[in-house]
Short mmCIF file of all heavy atoms in Angstrom, two decimals:
data_model
loop_
_atom_site.label_atom_id
_atom_site.label_comp_id
_atom_site.label_asym_id
_atom_site.label_seq_id
_atom_site.Cartn_x
_atom_site.Cartn_y
_atom_site.Cartn_z
N MET A 1 0.73 -9.91 13.99
CA MET A 1 0.29 -8.64 13.39
C MET A 1 1.41 -7.60 13.48
O MET A 1 2.00 -7.42 14.53
CB MET A 1 -0.97 -8.14 14.12
CG MET A 1 -1.45 -6.77 13.60
SD MET A 1 -2.88 -6.19 14.48
CE MET A 1 -4.12 -7.41 14.03
N GLU A 2 1.67 -6.97 12.37
CA GLU A 2 2.71 -5.95 12.37
C GLU A 2 2.10 -4.58 12.64
O GLU A 2 0.98 -4.29 12.24
CB GLU A 2 3.42 -5.93 11.02
CG GLU A 2 4.20 -7.21 10.75
CD GLU A 2 5.01 -7.09 9.48
OE1 GLU A 2 5.67 -6.05 9.32
OE2 GLU A 2 4.96 -7.99 8.65
N GLU A 3 2.90 -3.79 13.30
CA GLU A 3 2.44 -2.44 13.60
C GLU A 3 3.51 -1.44 13.22
O GLU A 3 4.69 -1.78 13.11
CB GLU A 3 2.13 -2.31 15.10
CG GLU A 3 0.99 -3.22 15.55
CD GLU A 3 0.76 -3.07 17.04
OE1 GLU A 3 1.62 -2.48 17.72
OE2 GLU A 3 -0.27 -3.55 17.52
N CYS A 4 3.11 -0.22 13.04
CA CYS A 4 4.07 0.83 12.71
C CYS A 4 5.04 1.01 13.88
O CYS A 4 4.61 1.14 15.03
CB CYS A 4 3.33 2.15 12.44
SG CYS A 4 4.43 3.54 12.16
N PRO A 5 6.35 0.99 13.58
CA PRO A 5 7.35 1.13 14.65
C PRO A 5 7.32 2.51 15.29
O PRO A 5 7.88 2.69 16.38
CB PRO A 5 8.68 0.87 13.92
CG PRO A 5 8.41 1.19 12.49
CD PRO A 5 6.97 0.83 12.27
N ARG A 6 6.69 3.45 14.64
CA ARG A 6 6.70 4.82 15.17
C ARG A 6 5.48 5.11 16.05
O ARG A 6 5.60 5.65 17.14
CB ARG A 6 6.76 5.83 14.01
CG ARG A 6 8.09 5.78 13.28
CD ARG A 6 8.14 6.83 12.18
NE ARG A 6 7.99 8.20 12.71
CZ ARG A 6 8.01 9.28 11.97
NH1 ARG A 6 8.17 9.19 10.66
NH2 ARG A 6 7.87 10.48 12.50
N CYS A 7 4.31 4.73 15.55
CA CYS A 7 3.11 5.12 16.28
C CYS A 7 2.25 3.91 16.67
O CYS A 7 1.29 4.05 17.41
CB CYS A 7 2.28 6.10 15.45
SG CYS A 7 1.50 5.37 14.01
N GLY A 8 2.64 2.72 16.19
CA GLY A 8 1.91 1.53 16.58
C GLY A 8 0.63 1.30 15.80
O GLY A 8 -0.19 0.46 16.16
N TRP A 9 0.48 2.06 14.71
CA TRP A 9 -0.71 1.88 13.88
C TRP A 9 -0.65 0.50 13.21
O TRP A 9 0.37 0.15 12.63
CB TRP A 9 -0.76 2.97 12.82
CG TRP A 9 -2.03 2.98 12.03
CD1 TRP A 9 -2.35 2.18 10.98
CD2 TRP A 9 -3.15 3.86 12.22
NE1 TRP A 9 -3.59 2.50 10.50
CE2 TRP A 9 -4.11 3.52 11.24
CE3 TRP A 9 -3.43 4.90 13.12
CZ2 TRP A 9 -5.33 4.19 11.13
CZ3 TRP A 9 -4.65 5.56 13.00
CH2 TRP A 9 -5.58 5.20 12.03
N PRO A 10 -1.70 -0.29 13.31
CA PRO A 10 -1.70 -1.62 12.68
C PRO A 10 -1.60 -1.51 11.16
O PRO A 10 -2.36 -0.76 10.55
CB PRO A 10 -3.05 -2.22 13.10
CG PRO A 10 -3.90 -1.05 13.46
CD PRO A 10 -2.96 0.01 13.99
N GLN A 11 -0.64 -2.23 10.59
CA GLN A 11 -0.41 -2.13 9.16
C GLN A 11 -1.52 -2.79 8.35
O GLN A 11 -1.55 -2.65 7.13
CB GLN A 11 0.95 -2.75 8.81
CG GLN A 11 2.10 -1.96 9.42
CD GLN A 11 3.45 -2.43 8.91
OE1 GLN A 11 3.54 -3.32 8.08
NE2 GLN A 11 4.51 -1.83 9.42
N THR A 12 -2.37 -3.52 9.04
CA THR A 12 -3.51 -4.09 8.32
C THR A 12 -4.54 -3.01 8.00
O THR A 12 -5.37 -3.18 7.13
CB THR A 12 -4.17 -5.19 9.16
OG1 THR A 12 -4.48 -4.68 10.46
CG2 THR A 12 -3.24 -6.38 9.32
N GLU A 13 -4.46 -1.90 8.75
CA GLU A 13 -5.35 -0.79 8.49
C GLU A 13 -4.58 0.29 7.74
O GLU A 13 -3.71 0.95 8.30
CB GLU A 13 -5.89 -0.22 9.81
CG GLU A 13 -6.76 -1.20 10.57
CD GLU A 13 -8.08 -1.43 9.87
OE1 GLU A 13 -8.52 -0.53 9.11
OE2 GLU A 13 -8.68 -2.48 10.07
N VAL A 14 -4.90 0.45 6.45
CA VAL A 14 -4.20 1.44 5.65
C VAL A 14 -4.78 2.82 5.94
O VAL A 14 -5.97 3.06 5.77
CB VAL A 14 -4.33 1.13 4.15
CG1 VAL A 14 -3.64 2.21 3.33
CG2 VAL A 14 -3.72 -0.23 3.85
N TYR A 15 -3.91 3.71 6.40
CA TYR A 15 -4.37 5.07 6.71
C TYR A 15 -4.63 5.85 5.43
O TYR A 15 -5.66 6.47 5.26
CB TYR A 15 -3.32 5.78 7.58
CG TYR A 15 -3.70 7.18 7.96
CD1 TYR A 15 -4.64 7.41 8.95
CD2 TYR A 15 -3.12 8.27 7.32
CE1 TYR A 15 -5.00 8.70 9.29
CE2 TYR A 15 -3.47 9.56 7.66
CZ TYR A 15 -4.41 9.77 8.64
OH TYR A 15 -4.75 11.05 8.98
N GLU A 16 -3.63 5.83 4.52
CA GLU A 16 -3.80 6.54 3.27
C GLU A 16 -2.98 5.86 2.18
O GLU A 16 -1.81 5.53 2.40
CB GLU A 16 -3.34 7.99 3.41
CG GLU A 16 -3.51 8.79 2.12
CD GLU A 16 -3.05 10.22 2.28
OE1 GLU A 16 -2.49 10.56 3.32
OE2 GLU A 16 -3.27 11.00 1.34
N VAL A 17 -3.59 5.62 1.04
CA VAL A 17 -2.88 5.04 -0.09
C VAL A 17 -2.41 6.17 -1.00
O VAL A 17 -3.21 6.93 -1.52
CB VAL A 17 -3.78 4.07 -0.88
CG1 VAL A 17 -3.02 3.51 -2.08
CG2 VAL A 17 -4.23 2.92 0.03
N LEU A 18 -1.10 6.28 -1.17
CA LEU A 18 -0.54 7.34 -2.00
C LEU A 18 -0.63 6.97 -3.48
O LEU A 18 -1.05 7.76 -4.30
CB LEU A 18 0.91 7.60 -1.61
CG LEU A 18 1.12 8.04 -0.15
CD1 LEU A 18 2.61 8.21 0.14
CD2 LEU A 18 0.37 9.33 0.16
N SER A 19 -0.20 5.75 -3.79
CA SER A 19 -0.25 5.30 -5.18
C SER A 19 -0.22 3.79 -5.23
O SER A 19 0.15 3.13 -4.25
CB SER A 19 0.92 5.87 -6.00
OG SER A 19 2.14 5.43 -5.47
N ARG A 20 -0.61 3.27 -6.35
CA ARG A 20 -0.67 1.82 -6.50
C ARG A 20 -0.24 1.46 -7.92
O ARG A 20 -0.67 2.09 -8.88
CB ARG A 20 -2.09 1.32 -6.23
CG ARG A 20 -2.22 -0.19 -6.18
CD ARG A 20 -3.59 -0.58 -5.68
NE ARG A 20 -3.78 -0.16 -4.28
CZ ARG A 20 -4.95 -0.06 -3.68
NH1 ARG A 20 -6.05 -0.29 -4.35
NH2 ARG A 20 -5.04 0.28 -2.42
N HIS A 21 0.64 0.49 -8.00
CA HIS A 21 1.18 0.13 -9.31
C HIS A 21 1.08 -1.37 -9.53
O HIS A 21 1.31 -2.16 -8.61
CB HIS A 21 2.65 0.56 -9.42
CG HIS A 21 2.87 2.01 -9.13
ND1 HIS A 21 2.72 3.01 -10.07
CD2 HIS A 21 3.18 2.65 -7.97
CE1 HIS A 21 2.96 4.19 -9.51
NE2 HIS A 21 3.24 4.00 -8.23
N LEU A 22 0.78 -1.73 -10.75
CA LEU A 22 0.75 -3.15 -11.11
C LEU A 22 2.11 -3.54 -11.66
O LEU A 22 2.61 -2.92 -12.59
CB LEU A 22 -0.33 -3.41 -12.15
CG LEU A 22 -1.77 -3.14 -11.69
CD1 LEU A 22 -2.74 -3.39 -12.84
CD2 LEU A 22 -2.13 -3.97 -10.49
N THR A 23 2.73 -4.54 -11.07
CA THR A 23 4.03 -5.01 -11.54
C THR A 23 3.94 -6.50 -11.82
O THR A 23 2.90 -7.13 -11.60
CB THR A 23 5.13 -4.75 -10.49
OG1 THR A 23 4.91 -5.60 -9.36
CG2 THR A 23 5.09 -3.31 -10.03
N SER A 24 5.06 -7.06 -12.27
CA SER A 24 5.09 -8.48 -12.58
C SER A 24 5.03 -9.32 -11.31
O SER A 24 4.72 -10.51 -11.34
CB SER A 24 6.36 -8.82 -13.38
OG SER A 24 7.51 -8.47 -12.63
N GLU A 25 5.38 -8.70 -10.18
CA GLU A 25 5.38 -9.44 -8.92
C GLU A 25 4.02 -9.36 -8.23
O GLU A 25 3.66 -10.21 -7.43
CB GLU A 25 6.45 -8.88 -7.99
CG GLU A 25 7.87 -9.07 -8.54
CD GLU A 25 8.92 -8.56 -7.55
OE1 GLU A 25 8.53 -8.13 -6.46
OE2 GLU A 25 10.10 -8.60 -7.89
N GLY A 26 3.30 -8.34 -8.53
CA GLY A 26 2.02 -8.16 -7.88
C GLY A 26 1.66 -6.68 -7.85
O GLY A 26 2.12 -5.89 -8.66
N VAL A 27 0.83 -6.34 -6.89
CA VAL A 27 0.40 -4.96 -6.76
C VAL A 27 1.25 -4.27 -5.70
O VAL A 27 1.25 -4.66 -4.54
CB VAL A 27 -1.09 -4.87 -6.37
CG1 VAL A 27 -1.51 -3.41 -6.28
CG2 VAL A 27 -1.94 -5.63 -7.37
N VAL A 28 1.99 -3.25 -6.13
CA VAL A 28 2.82 -2.49 -5.20
C VAL A 28 2.05 -1.25 -4.76
O VAL A 28 1.64 -0.44 -5.58
CB VAL A 28 4.15 -2.08 -5.85
CG1 VAL A 28 5.01 -1.29 -4.86
CG2 VAL A 28 4.92 -3.32 -6.32
N SER A 29 1.85 -1.15 -3.46
CA SER A 29 1.11 -0.02 -2.92
C SER A 29 2.01 0.83 -2.04
O SER A 29 2.70 0.32 -1.17
CB SER A 29 -0.10 -0.52 -2.11
OG SER A 29 -0.97 -1.28 -2.92
N TYR A 30 2.00 2.12 -2.31
CA TYR A 30 2.71 3.06 -1.45
C TYR A 30 1.69 3.69 -0.52
O TYR A 30 0.73 4.32 -0.95
CB TYR A 30 3.38 4.15 -2.30
CG TYR A 30 4.50 3.61 -3.17
CD1 TYR A 30 4.23 3.04 -4.40
CD2 TYR A 30 5.81 3.65 -2.72
CE1 TYR A 30 5.25 2.54 -5.19
CE2 TYR A 30 6.85 3.16 -3.51
CZ TYR A 30 6.54 2.60 -4.75
OH TYR A 30 7.56 2.09 -5.52
N THR A 31 1.91 3.47 0.78
CA THR A 31 0.94 3.95 1.75
C THR A 31 1.63 4.88 2.75
O THR A 31 2.84 4.86 2.93
CB THR A 31 0.30 2.79 2.52
OG1 THR A 31 1.31 2.08 3.25
CG2 THR A 31 -0.38 1.82 1.56
N ARG A 32 0.83 5.69 3.40
CA ARG A 32 1.34 6.59 4.42
C ARG A 32 0.56 6.37 5.70
O ARG A 32 -0.66 6.29 5.71
CB ARG A 32 1.22 8.05 3.97
CG ARG A 32 1.82 9.02 4.99
CD ARG A 32 1.95 10.40 4.43
NE ARG A 32 0.65 10.93 3.98
CZ ARG A 32 0.51 12.00 3.23
NH1 ARG A 32 1.56 12.64 2.80
NH2 ARG A 32 -0.68 12.43 2.89
N CYS A 33 1.32 6.24 6.79
CA CYS A 33 0.71 5.98 8.08
C CYS A 33 0.14 7.28 8.65
O CYS A 33 0.36 8.37 8.14
CB CYS A 33 1.76 5.38 9.02
SG CYS A 33 1.09 4.91 10.62
N ALA A 34 -0.57 7.13 9.76
CA ALA A 34 -1.15 8.28 10.41
C ALA A 34 -0.08 9.23 10.94
O ALA A 34 -0.30 10.42 11.11
CB ALA A 34 -2.07 7.83 11.55
N CYS A 35 1.12 8.68 11.20
CA CYS A 35 2.21 9.49 11.74
C CYS A 35 3.06 10.08 10.63
O CYS A 35 3.99 10.83 10.90
CB CYS A 35 3.07 8.64 12.69
SG CYS A 35 3.97 7.31 11.86
N GLY A 36 2.77 9.72 9.39
CA GLY A 36 3.52 10.26 8.27
C GLY A 36 4.57 9.31 7.73
O GLY A 36 5.21 9.61 6.73
N GLU A 37 4.74 8.16 8.38
CA GLU A 37 5.71 7.18 7.92
C GLU A 37 5.22 6.55 6.62
O GLU A 37 4.10 6.05 6.55
CB GLU A 37 5.88 6.10 8.99
CG GLU A 37 6.90 5.04 8.61
CD GLU A 37 8.32 5.49 8.89
OE1 GLU A 37 8.52 6.63 9.35
OE2 GLU A 37 9.24 4.69 8.66
N MET A 38 6.09 6.58 5.60
CA MET A 38 5.72 5.97 4.33
C MET A 38 6.11 4.50 4.33
O MET A 38 7.15 4.11 4.85
CB MET A 38 6.39 6.68 3.17
CG MET A 38 5.79 8.05 2.89
SD MET A 38 6.42 8.77 1.36
CE MET A 38 5.89 7.54 0.16
N GLN A 39 5.25 3.70 3.71
CA GLN A 39 5.51 2.27 3.65
C GLN A 39 5.21 1.77 2.25
O GLN A 39 4.35 2.29 1.56
CB GLN A 39 4.63 1.53 4.67
CG GLN A 39 4.91 1.94 6.11
CD GLN A 39 3.86 1.40 7.07
OE1 GLN A 39 2.76 1.07 6.66
NE2 GLN A 39 4.22 1.32 8.33
N VAL A 40 5.95 0.75 1.86
CA VAL A 40 5.73 0.10 0.57
C VAL A 40 5.36 -1.34 0.82
O VAL A 40 6.07 -2.07 1.51
CB VAL A 40 6.98 0.18 -0.31
CG1 VAL A 40 6.70 -0.48 -1.66
CG2 VAL A 40 7.42 1.62 -0.50
N ARG A 41 4.26 -1.73 0.29
CA ARG A 41 3.83 -3.11 0.47
C ARG A 41 3.53 -3.74 -0.88
O ARG A 41 3.08 -3.08 -1.80
CB ARG A 41 2.59 -3.19 1.38
CG ARG A 41 1.37 -2.52 0.80
CD ARG A 41 0.19 -2.67 1.73
NE ARG A 41 0.42 -1.98 3.02
CZ ARG A 41 -0.36 -2.12 4.07
NH1 ARG A 41 -1.39 -2.92 4.02
NH2 ARG A 41 -0.12 -1.46 5.18
N VAL A 42 3.83 -5.03 -0.97
CA VAL A 42 3.61 -5.76 -2.22
C VAL A 42 2.59 -6.86 -1.98
O VAL A 42 2.76 -7.68 -1.08
CB VAL A 42 4.91 -6.37 -2.75
CG1 VAL A 42 4.64 -7.14 -4.05
CG2 VAL A 42 5.96 -5.30 -2.98
N GLN A 43 1.55 -6.82 -2.76
CA GLN A 43 0.53 -7.86 -2.67
C GLN A 43 0.69 -8.80 -3.87
O GLN A 43 0.32 -8.44 -4.98
CB GLN A 43 -0.87 -7.25 -2.67
CG GLN A 43 -1.12 -6.35 -1.45
CD GLN A 43 -2.47 -5.67 -1.51
OE1 GLN A 43 -2.78 -4.95 -2.44
NE2 GLN A 43 -3.29 -5.90 -0.51
N PRO A 44 1.29 -9.97 -3.63
CA PRO A 44 1.51 -10.92 -4.74
C PRO A 44 0.19 -11.37 -5.34
O PRO A 44 -0.83 -11.45 -4.66
CB PRO A 44 2.23 -12.09 -4.06
CG PRO A 44 2.77 -11.55 -2.77
CD PRO A 44 1.79 -10.48 -2.36
N TYR A 45 0.27 -11.63 -6.65
CA TYR A 45 -0.92 -12.15 -7.32
C TYR A 45 -1.29 -13.50 -6.74
O TYR A 45 -0.45 -14.36 -6.54
CB TYR A 45 -0.66 -12.29 -8.82
CG TYR A 45 -0.50 -10.98 -9.53
CD1 TYR A 45 0.66 -10.68 -10.23
CD2 TYR A 45 -1.52 -10.03 -9.49
CE1 TYR A 45 0.81 -9.47 -10.88
CE2 TYR A 45 -1.37 -8.82 -10.14
CZ TYR A 45 -0.21 -8.55 -10.83
OH TYR A 45 -0.06 -7.37 -11.47
N THR A 46 -2.53 -13.68 -6.47
CA THR A 46 -2.98 -14.96 -5.95
C THR A 46 -3.91 -15.61 -6.94
O THR A 46 -4.70 -14.92 -7.60
CB THR A 46 -3.71 -14.79 -4.60
OG1 THR A 46 -4.77 -13.86 -4.78
CG2 THR A 46 -2.75 -14.27 -3.54
N PRO A 47 -3.81 -16.95 -7.08
CA PRO A 47 -4.67 -17.67 -8.01
C PRO A 47 -6.15 -17.43 -7.70
O PRO A 47 -6.59 -17.59 -6.56
CB PRO A 47 -4.30 -19.14 -7.78
CG PRO A 47 -2.92 -19.10 -7.19
CD PRO A 47 -2.88 -17.83 -6.39
N GLY A 48 -6.87 -17.06 -8.71
CA GLY A 48 -8.30 -16.85 -8.52
C GLY A 48 -8.65 -15.43 -8.18
O GLY A 48 -9.82 -15.05 -8.24
N ALA A 49 -7.63 -14.65 -7.80
CA ALA A 49 -7.91 -13.26 -7.44
C ALA A 49 -8.10 -12.42 -8.70
O ALA A 49 -7.41 -12.61 -9.70
CB ALA A 49 -6.77 -12.70 -6.61
N VAL A 50 -9.01 -11.52 -8.64
CA VAL A 50 -9.28 -10.64 -9.76
C VAL A 50 -8.71 -9.26 -9.45
O VAL A 50 -9.07 -8.64 -8.46
CB VAL A 50 -10.79 -10.52 -10.03
CG1 VAL A 50 -11.03 -9.55 -11.18
CG2 VAL A 50 -11.37 -11.89 -10.35
N VAL A 51 -7.77 -8.85 -10.30
CA VAL A 51 -7.15 -7.54 -10.11
C VAL A 51 -7.75 -6.56 -11.11
O VAL A 51 -7.70 -6.78 -12.31
CB VAL A 51 -5.62 -7.62 -10.29
CG1 VAL A 51 -5.01 -6.24 -10.13
CG2 VAL A 51 -5.02 -8.60 -9.30
N THR A 52 -8.33 -5.53 -10.59
CA THR A 52 -8.92 -4.53 -11.45
C THR A 52 -7.84 -3.60 -11.99
O THR A 52 -7.10 -3.00 -11.23
CB THR A 52 -9.96 -3.70 -10.68
OG1 THR A 52 -10.93 -4.58 -10.14
CG2 THR A 52 -10.63 -2.71 -11.60
N ALA A 53 -7.76 -3.55 -13.29
CA ALA A 53 -6.76 -2.70 -13.91
C ALA A 53 -7.45 -1.63 -14.76
O ALA A 53 -8.64 -1.69 -15.00
CB ALA A 53 -5.82 -3.53 -14.78
N GLY A 54 -6.66 -0.70 -15.22
CA GLY A 54 -7.20 0.31 -16.10
C GLY A 54 -7.47 1.63 -15.40
O GLY A 54 -7.79 2.62 -16.04
N HIS A 55 -7.30 1.66 -14.10
CA HIS A 55 -7.51 2.91 -13.38
C HIS A 55 -6.28 3.20 -12.54
O HIS A 55 -6.11 2.66 -11.48
CB HIS A 55 -8.75 2.82 -12.49
CG HIS A 55 -9.03 4.10 -11.76
ND1 HIS A 55 -9.51 5.22 -12.37
CD2 HIS A 55 -8.88 4.43 -10.46
CE1 HIS A 55 -9.64 6.18 -11.47
NE2 HIS A 55 -9.26 5.73 -10.30
N GLU A 56 -5.42 4.05 -13.07
CA GLU A 56 -4.20 4.38 -12.34
C GLU A 56 -4.24 5.81 -11.85
O GLU A 56 -4.68 6.71 -12.58
CB GLU A 56 -2.98 4.19 -13.26
CG GLU A 56 -2.81 2.74 -13.71
CD GLU A 56 -1.54 2.59 -14.54
OE1 GLU A 56 -0.86 3.60 -14.73
OE2 GLU A 56 -1.27 1.48 -15.00
N PRO A 57 -3.80 6.01 -10.63
CA PRO A 57 -3.74 7.38 -10.10
C PRO A 57 -2.65 8.16 -10.80
O PRO A 57 -1.71 7.56 -11.32
CB PRO A 57 -3.41 7.18 -8.61
CG PRO A 57 -2.70 5.86 -8.58
CD PRO A 57 -3.33 5.04 -9.68
N PRO A 58 -2.75 9.47 -10.82
CA PRO A 58 -1.70 10.29 -11.46
C PRO A 58 -0.37 10.13 -10.75
O PRO A 58 -0.31 10.07 -9.53
CB PRO A 58 -2.23 11.71 -11.33
CG PRO A 58 -3.21 11.66 -10.20
CD PRO A 58 -3.81 10.28 -10.26
N ALA A 59 0.68 10.07 -11.54
CA ALA A 59 2.01 9.90 -10.96
C ALA A 59 2.43 11.16 -10.22
O ALA A 59 2.20 12.27 -10.71
CB ALA A 59 3.01 9.57 -12.06
N PRO A 60 3.00 10.98 -9.05
CA PRO A 60 3.45 12.15 -8.28
C PRO A 60 4.59 12.87 -8.97
O PRO A 60 5.45 12.26 -9.57
CB PRO A 60 3.92 11.54 -6.95
CG PRO A 60 4.23 10.12 -7.28
CD PRO A 60 3.29 9.73 -8.39
N GLY A 61 4.58 14.16 -8.88
CA GLY A 61 5.65 14.96 -9.46
C GLY A 61 5.29 15.31 -10.89
O GLY A 61 6.07 15.69 -11.67
ZN1 ZN B 101 2.82 5.29 12.14
#
């Protein structure tokens, strides 16, 4: 299990999702830890998985 190097928050528990994007590699999620550390995680498409599309958060900036 991976944890945040700054505060030890388990990365399996997402504190806050900033944005989420669908790419050719999978779903790229930008998350922010409880300590403010930003993280980027990629969830590869898996066979049989259903990805809900059509609802995108507003782009920052
Ligand atoms: Zn942290």
Side-chain angles (χ1 to χ4, degrees):
M1 177 181 295
E2 294 186 46
E3 297 178 347
C4 176
R6 292 182 60 179
C7 70
W9 187 280
Q11 294 189 2
T12 53
E13 295 290 335
V14 178
Y15 180 77
E16 181 180 7
V17 178
L18 300 178
S19 62
R20 188 170 295 163
H21 305 275
L22 296 178
T23 69
S24 59
E25 297 183 3
V27 181
V28 180
S29 300
Y30 294 84
T31 62
R32 183 168 58 193
C33 184
C35 66
E37 181 82 358
M38 287 189 60
Q39 298 169 338
V40 181
R41 64 179 63 190
V42 179
Q43 297 176 302
Y45 292 121
T46 56
V50 178
V51 178
T52 303
H55 182 72
E56 297 183 1

